[in-house]
Amino acid sequence: MFHKKGGFHIKLKGIIEEDFINYKLPSMFLITTTCDWKCCKEAGIDISICQNQSLSKEKIKDIPDEKIFERYINNPITKSIVIGGLEPFDQWKEVFDLINYIRIEKGNNDTIVIYTGYYPEEIDG
């Protein structure tokens, strides 16, 4: 299908195994790696105001999609996956590959939420 030997990976600043804040269902929260601070720029505010600004200083980890799914599916508490923290669409290919892995290869249709600062017309793909 989509994964060849070795599989796909996604770069993340972190994973919160059980998050009860970012969505109505208990979630695994995936923190993406970059942001151009679009929201702050559009609002005319300093990036220091952004609740996620400190995440930009965190170390980047390369995590196999398979490992993320295993951690998610083996946790009886989580019922959804939330991708955010910085700007997921700045690494769209990795996010797309992860979603394909979860949906197509694993046949899992649990809710996946993507928090973005982009408007629909600004997203290609």
Side-chain angles (χ1 to χ4, degrees):
M1 302 269 269
F2 289 92
H3 283 58
K4 302 208 181 327
K5 186 172 174 125
F8 288 112
H9 295 235
I10 186 168
K11 292 175 184 65
L12 298 172
K13 292 283 186 166
I15 297 176
I16 299 172
E17 298 285 338
E18 297 169 0
D19 180 74
F20 303 95
I21 297 170
N22 288 293
Y23 188 60
K24 64 183 178 181
L25 298 174
S27 305
M28 173 184 269
F29 188 69
L30 306 178
I31 304 167
T32 57
T33 62
T34 63
C35 188
D36 64 2
W37 314 111
K38 176 184 179 300
C39 299
C40 292
K41 291 174 187 173
E42 287 181 351
I45 58 175
D46 189 80
I47 65 167
S48 65
I49 301 299
C50 179
Q51 67 183 15
N52 295 320
Q53 193 273 335
S54 63
L55 293 173
S56 66
K57 297 176 180 95
E58 295 295 321
K59 183 178 175 185
I60 295 173
K61 302 161 192 89
D62 193 45
I63 304 170
D65 293 355
E66 301 89 27
K67 295 289 183 198
I68 292 169
F69 183 75
E70 285 173 20
R71 288 166 70 174
Y72 170 73
I73 207 67
N74 289 321
N75 186 331
I77 295 172
T78 52
K79 307 293 179 211
S80 61
I81 296 173
V82 176
I83 305 170
L86 291 170
E87 180 48 64
F89 285 106
D90 284 352
Q91 58 189 100
W92 173 240
K93 176 77 169 97
E94 293 174 69
V95 170
F96 181 81
D97 289 342
L98 175 63
I99 293 170
N100 269 333
Y101 178 75
I102 292 167
R103 295 280 189 254
I104 306 300
E105 290 200 29
K106 292 303 187 179
N108 183 284
N109 288 313
D110 290 358
T111 300
I112 298 174
V113 176
I114 300 173
Y115 285 120
T116 181
Y118 288 102
Y119 300 102
E121 62 273 10
E122 296 175 316
I123 300 170
D124 288 332

